[in-house]
Amino acid sequence: MNNLTETGVYRGPRETIYETSSKGLTCIVPPALDVPAIDIADTFGSIARKSAPILPEVTEVQIMRHYSHLASMNFGIDSGMYPLGSCTMKYNPRINEDMARLSGFAGLHPYQPQSSVQGALQLMYELQKDFGTISGFPAVTLQPAAGAHGEYTALSVFRAAHTAKGNPRKKVIIPDTAHGTNPASVAMCGYEVVSIQSTESGMVDIEKLKAALDEDTAAFMLTNPNTVGMFDSQILEITQAVHAVGAYAYCDGANLNAILGITRPGDVGFDALHINTHKTFSTPHGGGGPGAGPVCVSAELASFLPGPIVEKEGESYRLVTPSNSLGRVRSFMGNFGVLVRAYTYIKALGGQGIRDTGEQAVLSANYMRVKLADVFDIAYDRICMHEFVISGSRQGHDYGVHTLDMAKRLLDYGFHPPTIYFPQLVDEAMMIEPTETESKESLDSFIEAMHKIAAEAKNDPDLVKGSPYFTPIRRLDEAEAARRPNVAWTGSID
């Protein structure tokens, strides 16, 4: 067992680019100075550098091999299947990148006059309309820079609307299956978090919700479909109960991918929704951004949205600020390049394509759920939405092989592991989301790998517990890596 590829190329760590540095090597030979030389210290005074920056001295070939090697050590959706439940790692079509790089978009300056950016404003106006059509809400802001930022923005809109009525209220209710960002956003917005326990089937406990609702409640936040891959069929009763105490119903749109073109949050009584464009509309994901988390709201809340938004006047487009706007939540118009990618994805698919996306994602998840039921315990064994949860408790109890071990072994079979140990209410959880972009052949390969791992857990548990064997880095001390990462080069160049 080692980390050589089939061709014998070593995929493990190499020297850093600093360690390959040799004095005098360079990629470029700058031309001779054709202006008078200046003294840096005299010109810039105390802000001038006292010594030259420490940069590696390498050739262009060395640089290319350095970055190519780093890329080969990475695993992304372009490398293989990435069934990360609750995070929708779908393939991002390259046409999105081509459109975002068009010089008319990539070369825009945020301070250009509106008359010179009519094309960009038209794109944003149409994207607002598209998100409104998909979500069932009449008003949209594109400003928020990420999903959690969208949560915070929508809660701020709720607070502004309640305040305008004379009382901002005190608390926001969240089910225990919520994404971790929900309570964080609530706290940042100045509200008290009230968590209610879900039913054994993962649904909202209506009686517990009604008992928690009162005139201090500002909102109820719900992800639907929820984080165990189920659509809460009680949604009309839920939103009616929330509205009965004058609170707002908030839909975390993290799982919007499952209901695209099938049902709309605005039609089932929600008052606001944020969209994770990276999860649903194939924009870049990871690394903390840049991203986009548009917020869609009901007509009642439209005047409180952050401004500016784009309106059409005759044949022209202009920026306007809603009458009761809570102000900006992001500089300029958000991450415009990300919005171009989402716009491209929507226009490329069209209305029927959008619906096909949701249906295929649900079909893929249910296909895998059924195919894995003979070797793993299914946490909620009924028709699911775009993701499902299995439990590794059988393997843990019978053979001492835990979910983490099986996730590591999946890496040896060429798959990124699913989300593990979430949701916490499922013992030894593995949350699997195949998405609509994987072929049946890919799904079958993953299913086969999971069956092999289940057999290994039974017949050779130490093999699984010692994995991975074929990755650039073997098993890490996860706590050490998370809490004390060593990512800085501290050597010196001669």
Side-chain angles (χ1 to χ4, degrees):
M1 301 286 188
N2 55 49
N3 46 16
L4 289 178
T5 66
E6 291 182 355
T7 59
V9 176
Y10 182 63
R11 292 183 59 226
R14 293 178 177 173
E15 302 89 345
T16 68
I17 194 169
Y18 286 96
E19 291 166 324
T20 61
S21 174
S22 294
K23 195 169 184 59
L25 293 180
T26 183
C27 296
I28 59 170
V29 179
L33 193 64
D34 59 357
V35 295
I38 63 170
D39 187 294
I40 298 295
D42 286 346
T43 304
F44 295 101
S46 61
I47 65 171
R49 293 189 64 102
K50 302 298 187 295
S51 60
I54 301 175
L55 296 174
E57 297 181 58
V58 291
T59 66
E60 180 175 330
V61 172
Q62 286 176 295
I63 289 177
M64 289 303 298
R65 288 175 180 165
H66 168 73
Y67 284 108
S68 295
H69 176 68
L70 291 181
S72 73
M73 291 175 63
N74 191 29
F75 190 103
I77 194 66
D78 294 345
S79 308
M81 188 173 173
Y82 207 129
L84 202 66
S86 195
C87 284
T88 313
M89 300 298 287
K90 65 166 69 176
Y91 174 72
N92 298 341
R94 288 299 176 268
I95 185 68
N96 298 357
E97 301 301 316
D98 291 344
M99 296 301 104
R101 285 171 171 73
L102 288 175
S103 59
F105 291 141
L108 287 175
H109 191 284
Y111 284 126
Q112 281 184 235
Q114 293 183 37
S115 60
S116 69
V117 293
Q118 285 293 297
L121 294 180
Q122 179 182 353
L123 182 148
M124 298 179 75
Y125 175 80
E126 293 183 6
L127 189 56
Q128 289 173 184
K129 292 295 182 185
D130 288 343
F131 283 149
T133 300
I134 291 169
S135 66
F137 290 106
V140 177
T141 175
L142 302 176
Q143 274 196 26
H149 194 197
E151 293 174 22
Y152 175 79
T153 299
L155 289 167
S156 298
V157 168
F158 289 166
R159 175 178 277 280
H162 281 307
T163 301
K165 295 175 184 175
N167 180 6
R169 302 196 173 199
K170 299 177 180 176
K171 64 183 182 182
V172 174
I173 302 172
I174 302 174
D176 58 0
T177 56
H179 290 105
T181 52
N182 286 183
S185 297
V186 170
M188 286 189 68
C189 206
Y191 282 118
E192 174 191 353
V193 179
V194 176
S195 179
I196 58 169
Q197 188 176 3
S198 301
T199 65
E200 290 185 358
S201 60
M203 300 293 106
V204 172
D205 189 318
I206 292 284
E207 296 309 314
K208 284 188 169 60
L209 172 63
K210 290 180 177 177
L213 285 167
D214 57 30
E215 294 187 351
D216 281 335
T217 306
F220 175 58
M221 299 181 79
L222 178 64
T223 306
N224 198 23
N226 63 20
T227 52
V228 297
M230 301 292 170
F231 186 88
D232 201 315
S233 58
Q234 314 163 102
I235 188 59
L236 291 176
E237 186 178 357
I238 290 170
T239 53
Q240 288 168 2
V242 172
H243 292 157
V245 297
Y248 293 112
Y250 180 82
C251 183
D252 181 324
N255 297 337
L256 184 64
N257 201 52
I259 58 174
L260 281 175
I262 300 168
T263 190
R264 308 190 303 176
D267 294 341
V268 295
F270 284 110
D271 299 286
L273 159 86
H274 84 263
I275 294 172
N276 298 80
T277 61
H278 62 277
K279 292 186 178 182
T280 310
F281 297 105
S282 75
T283 64
H285 181 291
V295 170
C296 313
V297 300
S298 64
E300 177 191 341
L301 299 170
S303 69
F304 297 98
L305 281 178
I309 59 176
V310 184
E311 284 190 356
K312 186 177 183 182
E313 188 174 72
E315 296 303 314
S316 300
Y317 301 88
R318 64 190 182 102
L319 298 173
V320 298
T321 300
S323 58
N324 298 311
S325 176
L326 56 84
R328 283 186 175 276
V329 295
R330 180 70 166 80
S331 57
F332 304 112
M333 297 302 295
N335 290 315
F336 178 69
V338 173
L339 300 174
V340 174
R341 291 171 171 88
Y343 176 88
T344 304
Y345 184 73
I346 291 171
K347 296 304 181 187
L349 288 176
Q352 185 59 50
I354 290 288
R355 183 184 176 95
D356 291 345
T357 294
E359 290 181 343
Q360 184 62 52
V362 172
L363 179 61
S364 296
N366 279 285
Y367 177 74
M368 294 182 70
R369 176 181 61 82
V370 172
K371 290 287 187 180
L372 292 175
D374 58 338
V375 288
F376 292 97
D377 297 325
I378 308 297
Y380 305 97
D381 196 10
R382 62 184 176 92
I383 298 294
C384 65
M385 300 300 290
H386 61 301
E387 61 191 4
F388 61 102
V389 182
I390 63 177
S391 169
S393 58
R394 189 190 314 177
Q395 287 73 20
H397 180 268
D398 293 349
Y399 316 120
V401 175
H402 296 282
T403 286
L404 177 65
D405 303 318
M406 292 185 278
K408 296 296 184 185
R409 185 59 174 152
L410 263 175
L411 292 167
D412 286 335
Y413 283 101
F415 297 98
H416 193 283
T419 298
I420 59 173
Y421 298 115
F422 181 81
Q424 294 178 338
L425 62 167
V426 176
D427 185 44
E428 298 280 344
M430 283 185 269
M431 179 184 284
I432 300 172
E433 181 178 0
T435 82
E436 75 283 359
T437 58
E438 295 298 334
S439 66
K440 180 174 179 296
E441 288 72 21
S442 292
L443 303 183
D444 286 336
S445 294
F446 182 85
I447 292 165
E448 181 182 2
M450 292 293 283
H451 276 85
K452 286 181 177 177
I453 292 171
E456 290 171 351
K458 178 180 179 180
N459 301 318
D460 190 359
D462 287 341
L463 174 68
V464 184
K465 290 192 282 189
S467 63
Y469 302 100
F470 300 108
T471 51
I473 301 289
R474 296 289 301 279
R475 192 174 297 207
L476 296 171
D477 182 327
E478 308 241 344
E480 186 81 0
R483 295 172 184 169
R484 290 195 294 184
N486 179 13
V487 295
W489 180 73
T490 56
S492 61
I493 294 179
D494 295 333

